[in-house]
Amino acid sequence: MAHTIAEKIIAAHLVDGGGGHALPDCEVWPGDIVEVAVDVVLANDITAPIAIREFVKLGGDRPSPRVFDSNRVVLVADHFAPAKDIASAEQCRTMREFAGEQNLVHHYDVGRMGIEHVLLPEQGLVAPGDIVVGADSHTCTYGALGAFATGMGSTDIGVAMATGRVWLRVPESVRIVYGERGALRPWVSGKDLILHTIGQIGVSGARYKAIEFSGPAINALEIDGRFTMANMAIEAGGKAGLFAVDETTRAYVMGRVGRRWEAYDADPDAEYSRVVEIDVGAIEPLVAFPHSPANVRPARGGGDVTIDQVVIGSCTNGRLSDLRVAAEVLRGRKVHPHVRCIVIPGTQQVTLDALREGLVETFIECGAVVSTPTCGPCLGGHMGVLDAGERAVSTSNRNFRGRMGHLDSEIYLAGPAVAAASAIAGCIAHPDDV
C-alpha cells in the first residue's frame, strides 16, 4: 500500500508496547495509536528541569535511574543562558548536574551551546529518517533533513529519556507544492514561502498533520531555507514538517552525521488529506503583522509602521546564510537612530564564521549589537524584551500578544532582508527601498 514520508518513518520505528521490541515490516495509517523508538530526545534550560523531575519519579525507589542512551539525550542551555537571574541559574545548574550524573555526551552549556534547533543539525545529531522528540515546539525544524521531528511536553520527554520510546497518533499528511508556475523573486526566501503558506492555510490549516513540502521551488531551495520552513510548520498547526531527502540534504549531512541513516520517500500514489499548490512567482518579501503569523502582508505595504527594535536571529533565521543576507543590506549604511538592532548568531560556529567573513564588523559598524547565541528575545526572556507600545521586526517565528515582552507591544515577523532594511529605515521597509 502507498504511504507518505511520515507514515514510513513511523512504521520503521514501531515497537511493541511491552518489551519495546522492534516490529519490522508493519504498516501504519493515519489515526493509529502507536509506540515508537526514538533516535534523539531533546530538552533545554526551561523544559529540561521539569523532564528531569519526571524522569526521577519513574525510578521509584531506585536512587539513580539511568537514561536509555547517554549518547541520544541532548540538553542545550539556550533560552536563559548565560543565566539572566538566579532562577535561570538554578535551571541551568539542574541540567548541568543531571548531565554529569548521567554522563551525557551531548550537554551544551555556555561556550559550547547554541540555539538548539540550529545547533543539533550543525553538530550532526539529527539524520534523515530519524524520529526526534523535543521539549520545545519548534523541534519540527529537523524535518528539513527528512526526519520526523515533533515537540512534546516535558513529562513525555522525561519518559522518553528513561525508555527511548514514546506513543503518538499517526498524523494525516498535507502536501504543499511550490513553484509549478514561476521562480522566486529577488529577496524572497524560505521565510517568505512559509509566511505565505501560513497566510493562505491559516494557523490551524495543518492541525496535527504532517506537512510535506515539495515542488520545483523546494527542490531548488538551499538547506537553510528548508530549516526555516520546517521550523514554522508548527505555526500552521503541524505535527511535523518534512522535506524529501535529496542531494542538498545529503551534501549537508555528509561529514556531519557519523551513524547509519535511511531516507524515506512518499509513494507516488500516497493519500493526503489535502494538496495545496502555490505559485511562488507571485510571492514577494512579506511581513506577518500582529498578532498572528497568518496576518501576512507585503513588506512594501508597511511603510507607515515605525519600529523601535529589530531582532535578526532565532532558531528560524539565525544561520550563517541569514546573517549574510542581513549584512548585504546593512553594509555601508547605518541603523536608524531610533532603532535598536540586535543580531544573534545561532551557534558559536555561526558566530566564528560570521567573524571570519567580516559580517560581525559590518553589523557593529552599522550600529547593531551582536549577541551570544540565545533564544532570549524571541520569548520575551532577555536580550531584547519589549516595553508597552514598542514595536519590533523580528526574524523569529511567533508574534502573539506579549510574546516578546509587554502585552501592549507588537511583533512583526519577516525574513532577514526585510528586517535589515527596516532597521535602516526606522519603519517596515523592502530591501530595495533603502
mmCIF file of all heavy atoms in Angstrom, residues 61 67 88 91 108 146 173 212 227 254 365 375:
data_model
loop_
_atom_site.group_PDB
_atom_site.id
_atom_site.type_symbol
_atom_site.label_atom_id
_atom_site.label_comp_id
_atom_site.label_asym_id
_atom_site.label_seq_id
_atom_site.Cartn_x
_atom_site.Cartn_y
_atom_site.Cartn_z
ATOM 1 N N ASP A 61 11.953 3.739 43.856
ATOM 2 C CA ASP A 61 12.879 3.670 44.982
ATOM 3 C C ASP A 61 14.339 3.580 44.549
ATOM 4 O O ASP A 61 15.242 3.626 45.393
ATOM 5 C CB ASP A 61 12.544 2.455 45.868
ATOM 6 C CG ASP A 61 11.177 2.596 46.515
ATOM 7 O OD1 ASP A 61 10.765 3.753 46.740
ATOM 8 O OD2 ASP A 61 10.541 1.558 46.772
ATOM 9 N N VAL A 67 19.347 7.093 32.002
ATOM 10 C CA VAL A 67 18.728 7.365 30.707
ATOM 11 C C VAL A 67 18.939 6.160 29.798
ATOM 12 O O VAL A 67 19.853 5.368 29.992
ATOM 13 C CB VAL A 67 19.317 8.633 30.054
ATOM 14 C CG1 VAL A 67 19.037 9.856 30.907
ATOM 15 C CG2 VAL A 67 20.810 8.491 29.785
ATOM 16 N N SER A 88 17.056 31.419 36.622
ATOM 17 C CA SER A 88 17.587 30.765 35.420
ATOM 18 C C SER A 88 18.914 30.075 35.719
ATOM 19 O O SER A 88 19.221 29.030 35.132
ATOM 20 C CB SER A 88 17.752 31.772 34.280
ATOM 21 O OG SER A 88 18.589 32.841 34.642
ATOM 22 N N GLN A 91 17.984 26.733 37.016
ATOM 23 C CA GLN A 91 17.559 25.851 35.926
ATOM 24 C C GLN A 91 18.774 25.249 35.220
ATOM 25 O O GLN A 91 18.838 24.036 34.964
ATOM 26 C CB GLN A 91 16.727 26.643 34.909
ATOM 27 C CG GLN A 91 15.422 27.215 35.435
ATOM 28 C CD GLN A 91 14.302 26.208 35.413
ATOM 29 O OE1 GLN A 91 14.042 25.545 36.405
ATOM 30 N NE2 GLN A 91 13.634 26.108 34.287
ATOM 31 N N TYR A 108 25.214 20.872 26.135
ATOM 32 C CA TYR A 108 25.795 22.083 25.579
ATOM 33 C C TYR A 108 25.514 23.254 26.501
ATOM 34 O O TYR A 108 24.394 23.749 26.589
ATOM 35 C CB TYR A 108 25.245 22.340 24.174
ATOM 36 C CG TYR A 108 25.635 21.253 23.204
ATOM 37 C CD1 TYR A 108 24.822 20.138 23.008
ATOM 38 C CD2 TYR A 108 26.844 21.315 22.522
ATOM 39 C CE1 TYR A 108 25.193 19.135 22.139
ATOM 40 C CE2 TYR A 108 27.220 20.307 21.652
ATOM 41 C CZ TYR A 108 26.394 19.217 21.457
ATOM 42 O OH TYR A 108 26.772 18.215 20.599
ATOM 43 N N GLY A 146 14.570 15.507 6.476
ATOM 44 C CA GLY A 146 13.829 14.276 6.222
ATOM 45 C C GLY A 146 13.619 13.438 7.458
ATOM 46 O O GLY A 146 13.443 12.212 7.370
ATOM 47 N N SER A 173 -1.367 13.561 6.432
ATOM 48 C CA SER A 173 -0.359 14.405 5.800
ATOM 49 C C SER A 173 -1.004 15.389 4.827
ATOM 50 O O SER A 173 -1.993 15.057 4.153
ATOM 51 C CB SER A 173 0.677 13.555 5.055
ATOM 52 O OG SER A 173 1.478 12.818 5.958
ATOM 53 N N GLU A 212 4.156 17.908 4.091
ATOM 54 C CA GLU A 212 5.222 17.573 3.150
ATOM 55 C C GLU A 212 5.420 18.755 2.210
ATOM 56 O O GLU A 212 4.517 19.125 1.456
ATOM 57 C CB GLU A 212 4.877 16.326 2.340
ATOM 58 C CG GLU A 212 5.123 15.021 3.066
ATOM 59 C CD GLU A 212 4.954 13.811 2.149
ATOM 60 O OE1 GLU A 212 5.081 13.979 0.900
ATOM 61 O OE2 GLU A 212 4.679 12.711 2.661
ATOM 62 N N PHE A 227 15.275 24.616 6.656
ATOM 63 C CA PHE A 227 15.174 24.659 8.116
ATOM 64 C C PHE A 227 14.157 25.708 8.543
ATOM 65 O O PHE A 227 13.349 25.477 9.457
ATOM 66 C CB PHE A 227 16.534 24.980 8.732
ATOM 67 C CG PHE A 227 17.497 23.829 8.772
ATOM 68 C CD1 PHE A 227 18.774 23.954 8.247
ATOM 69 C CD2 PHE A 227 17.144 22.622 9.354
ATOM 70 C CE1 PHE A 227 19.675 22.893 8.287
ATOM 71 C CE2 PHE A 227 18.039 21.554 9.402
ATOM 72 C CZ PHE A 227 19.306 21.695 8.864
ATOM 73 N N MET A 254 26.551 14.903 4.984
ATOM 74 C CA MET A 254 27.832 14.244 4.719
ATOM 75 C C MET A 254 28.926 14.884 5.567
ATOM 76 O O MET A 254 29.121 16.098 5.551
ATOM 77 C CB MET A 254 28.190 14.369 3.235
ATOM 78 C CG MET A 254 29.416 13.579 2.831
ATOM 79 S SD MET A 254 29.104 11.798 2.842
ATOM 80 C CE MET A 254 27.907 11.659 1.488
ATOM 81 N N GLU A 365 29.693 48.172 12.713
ATOM 82 C CA GLU A 365 29.900 49.464 12.062
ATOM 83 C C GLU A 365 28.591 50.159 11.707
ATOM 84 O O GLU A 365 28.519 51.386 11.688
ATOM 85 C CB GLU A 365 30.752 49.288 10.807
ATOM 86 C CG GLU A 365 32.221 49.017 11.109
ATOM 87 C CD GLU A 365 33.057 48.884 9.847
ATOM 88 O OE1 GLU A 365 32.454 48.684 8.760
ATOM 89 O OE2 GLU A 365 34.296 48.965 9.948
ATOM 90 N N CYS A 375 18.022 32.246 22.689
ATOM 91 C CA CYS A 375 16.619 32.390 22.300
ATOM 92 C C CYS A 375 15.979 33.601 22.972
ATOM 93 O O CYS A 375 14.810 33.899 22.722
ATOM 94 C CB CYS A 375 15.836 31.143 22.704
ATOM 95 S SG CYS A 375 16.476 29.591 22.066
#
